[in-house]
Amino acid sequence: MPPSSGKLVKVGYGQQQAEAEMIQGLLAEHGIPSMVQRTVDNPEFLAAGPRQILVPEEAAENAREVLDGGEEQPG
């Protein structure tokens, strides 16, 4: 599910692409749209390198609860 057209905020961080995608999957399980963005714009890194996890501003609090291990339910 793509993020809404509003402002995006950082709620998480992955050391590399696979970790960022795992975080993105966890958020998706809770109905929170997200996107992954490289923190260093160097295509030669391929899957290596840090990634930010961004969500719509209105979903940031819920996303942080999920990532902190809270029991927030989908919807």
Side-chain angles (χ1 to χ4, degrees):
M1 178 180 349
S4 70
S5 59
K7 180 180 175 184
L8 297 174
V9 295
K10 178 184 169 188
V11 295
Y13 176 84
Q15 293 291 332
Q16 35 77 16
Q17 184 176 343
E19 183 179 8
E21 288 175 354
M22 286 175 41
I23 295 168
Q24 191 176 33
L26 177 62
L27 293 173
E29 288 177 10
H30 288 81
I32 302 169
S34 64
M35 68 175 282
V36 174
Q37 180 179 35
R38 288 181 189 193
T39 59
V40 177
D41 190 20
N42 186 342
E44 293 180 14
F45 282 171
L46 300 175
R51 307 288 202 273
Q52 293 181 353
I53 313 302
L54 306 171
V55 301
E57 187 173 39
E58 62 272 11
E61 183 177 339
N62 190 13
R64 288 185 181 108
E65 286 180 20
V66 169
L67 296 176
D68 287 341
E71 294 299 320
E72 189 68 28
Q73 296 299 314

